[in-house]
Amino acid sequence: MGDLTGSFPVTLDDKGRISLPAPLRKNLDETKLFLTQGRGKCLWLYTASEWNILKDTIMENTNIFSNRFLNLRRQIIGPSQEVTVDNAGRIPVAVSLREYAGLSKDCKVIGQVDYIEIWAEERYREYIDESADEYETASEELSVMLMKKRGINV
């Protein structure tokens, strides 16, 4: 699988499907995918191989007797659905997942290297605006990590 990167506007059709942009589709080596709830009220789309890594990590490292881990399972594993890319490059999005993410017509698909995020366009803009301070802080921390990795003292 190649890197899944890029940001693309897409439209949810009347049948609840979205077309995966061609640059992302060409980097998918599987047509069987898994769609689930993501953080920030978006959806996460994984190839089967990447999904199995995430699912297995969650299942092996969580305990149903811990409320926070049980919640994590309920939010990620419970609502997950297997989807298949059709010949036109579309995937179906279940009503429950559309409702969770607030998807209607205008959507945004964003590659995150090993998975894809699907956002309602307006919700994505709001999220970016609201998280600007977090972005700045994380950017500064990443800058320090990169400099250290390059052997530059900070």
Side-chain angles (χ1 to χ4, degrees), residues 114-139:
D114 57 350
Y115 74 99
I116 295 168
E117 292 183 344
I118 302 169
W119 289 84
E121 176 70 38
E122 183 61 31
R123 185 172 279 173
Y124 179 71
R125 280 192 300 250
E126 290 170 3
Y127 175 82
I128 292 300
D129 290 344
E130 292 170 3
S131 62
D133 289 341
E134 287 178 1
Y135 172 77
E136 291 301 322
T137 301
S139 295

Side-chain angles (χ1 to χ4, degrees), residues 4 7 21-22 50 52 66 72 75 93 100 112 119 150:
L4 301 169
S7 178
E50 289 294 330
N52 285 330
S66 163
L72 182 70
Q75 295 285 326
V93 181
Y100 169 81
Q112 295 291 337
W119 289 84
R150 292 182 174 132

Side-chain angles (χ1 to χ4, degrees), residues 11 17 25 42 62 68 71-72 81 92 95 126 132 138 149:
T11 302
R17 301 172 300 191
R25 277 196 324 266
C42 70
T62 62
R68 74 186 170 115
N71 186 33
L72 182 70
Q81 302 202 355
V95 171
E126 290 170 3
K149 190 170 188 164

Side-chain angles (χ1 to χ4, degrees), residues 8-19:
F8 309 90
V10 297
T11 302
L12 183 74
D13 72 14
D14 294 339
K15 295 182 180 177
R17 301 172 300 191
I18 62 165
S19 290

Side-chain angles (χ1 to χ4, degrees), residues 45-61:
L45 181 66
Y46 286 89
T47 61
S49 56
E50 289 294 330
W51 171 252
N52 285 330
I53 292 168
L54 175 64
K55 175 186 56 95
D56 292 348
T57 300
I58 291 170
M59 297 306 292
E60 292 165 4
N61 295 288

